[in-house]
Amino acid sequence: MLNRKSVHTLVTLALLSCPFLIGSRAEADMIPVVNAGFEAQILGNGNSNPVLTGWKGDGGAFNPSAADFLDEAPEGVNIAYLNGGVIFQVLSSELVPGVYTLAVDMGRRLGHPFPGYSIQLLAGSVVIAEDVNSLLPATGTFLTTTVNYTATASDSNLGQALTIRLTSVGVQVNFDDVRLKFTPSAVPEPASLVMLGTGTLSLLGYGWRRRKVATAS
């Protein structure tokens, strides 16, 4: 009979023979955000509309001109404006194990003070990642603010709907190009598990046969 040390050695060899057990490389994916660039409203240059399709809250859509931003919009032609309050969107995705990266372009309009902002990612009603006033864009420009969150298999918020929430404490903060990237946790490939099981059984069988031959002789 194999002793404990022999079994441990054989299992270790089986693990080494199956390097892909460590996990398949997880591919990042973009989580859908409705009207992420605020382009749903067709607006003339310099015009605005107090509607943001797909979003709820206090803001509206705005097609800035060169008098508002040096490069106008970072993405597309429209941006969102927020003169205090909040805009938010409850996504169709729920929190699962993996890494989340929320990025938003946030701007300071020419001729306007910059009152302060926050960018938040929520799971249910819980804020799991946020940026509050860490950036101060130069007048007439945008900066990209990014927040990250890693959800583990034991995260108490798993299964909760994800929400993106953007806030301004006054007149005026502008937003554009909201994107949420998700990289799932690496998991063992099914083929690797089969290889591990086959390798372990083969090594155990080999050890048993050697033990049997040694005993017979």
Side-chain angles (χ1 to χ4, degrees):
M1 181 178 294
L2 294 174
N3 58 32
R4 181 177 298 177
K5 183 177 180 180
S6 298
V7 171
H8 180 269
T9 301
L10 291 172
V11 171
T12 301
L13 290 171
L15 287 169
L16 292 174
S17 71
C18 188
F20 295 107
L21 182 67
I22 295 173
S24 59
R25 177 172 294 180
E27 296 294 334
D29 199 7
M30 301 304 295
I31 294 178
V33 178
V34 176
N35 196 21
F38 310 107
E39 303 295 327
Q41 278 64 47
I42 306 302
L43 301 171
N45 202 33
N47 293 336
S48 63
N49 187 320
V51 174
L52 281 176
T53 299
W55 297 82
K56 296 181 179 180
D58 307 302
F62 177 45
N63 180 345
S65 69
D68 302 299
F69 286 95
L70 301 178
D71 295 322
E72 302 192 16
E75 184 273 333
V77 297
N78 289 352
I79 60 177
Y81 68 85
L82 192 54
N83 293 325
V86 58
I87 57 174
F88 68 95
Q89 182 176 148
V90 180
L91 307 181
S92 59
S93 299
E94 299 177 346
L95 186 72
V96 297
V99 179
Y100 293 83
T101 301
L102 172 63
V104 183
D105 292 339
M106 175 270 305
R108 180 180 181 181
R109 188 175 173 184
L110 285 166
H112 286 69
F114 192 74
Y117 72 94
S118 69
I119 308 294
Q120 298 176 327
L121 179 65
L122 296 84
S125 61
V126 178
V127 176
I128 57 175
E130 66 178 340
D131 170 28
V132 181
N133 295 326
S134 71
L135 300 176
L136 178 61
T139 182
T141 68
F142 279 82
L143 292 175
T144 300
T145 172
T146 303
V147 297
N148 298 284
Y149 182 74
T150 300
T152 65
S154 60
D155 197 303
S156 60
N157 299 303
L158 293 181
Q160 296 294 315
L162 295 171
T163 297
I164 296 172
R165 186 162 66 193
L166 314 176
T167 71
S168 168
V169 298
V171 182
Q172 180 182 85
V173 179
N174 300 99
F175 302 99
D176 199 12
D177 197 14
V178 180
R179 56 265 193 206
L180 180 58
K181 183 172 69 174
F182 171 66
T183 305
S185 299
V187 295
E189 296 178 354
S192 298
L193 294 176
V194 172
M195 289 173 63
L196 173 65
T198 303
T200 302
L201 290 174
S202 298
L203 287 170
L204 288 173
Y206 173 72
W208 179 81
R209 287 193 299 272
R210 287 194 62 187
R211 180 71 174 178
K212 184 176 180 181
V213 169
T215 301
S217 59

